[in-house]
Amino acid sequence: MIIMSVDLGDARTGIAVCDKGESFAFPKGVIKEYNKDKLLDKLCEKAKELGAELLVVGYPRNMDGSAGFKAQECEALGKRLSEMCSLPLVLWDERCTTVSAHTALNYTDTRGKKRKEIVDAVAATIILEDYLKRRQQG
């Protein structure tokens, strides 16, 4: 199944997708959009372009596990996206994925503008990798 993950941000939203065998997750870019309605349109278009069959949207819980404002916003946007694209939705705990993305970029010595351009796509890839691991475990 082709699964598309989304790391929602205020200005940049990262996208990743897996192969049909659900073995590998690949970054598929970043959408720069402040307007949430336009962002949802672009995400739905990207899901169709990639042949997505399932959406995994990052759900940024607080460190104590509670759902704060940002998590609630991601849940609402995820539900709207799911309805618009007619695709099932999974909200996936994304605690620390941006930190992990920055760490990965440190290892590759990616700095400056290039780093800013791709960190959200790397975070979306990490979200998807975590989700795929859980699916494989059953």
Side-chain angles (χ1 to χ4, degrees), residues 17 23 37 61-62 79 83 88 95 98 107 112 119 125:
V17 70
S23 300
D37 292 327
R61 291 184 179 275
N62 294 323
K79 286 179 179 178
E83 290 170 7
R95 280 180 278 186
T98 301
Y107 284 119
V119 70
T125 305

Side-chain angles (χ1 to χ4, degrees), residues 8-10 36 58-60 67-75:
L8 290 166
D10 292 328
K36 297 303 179 195
Y59 189 63
F69 171 76
K70 193 65 178 169
Q72 292 168 0
E73 180 184 29
C74 288
E75 181 176 6

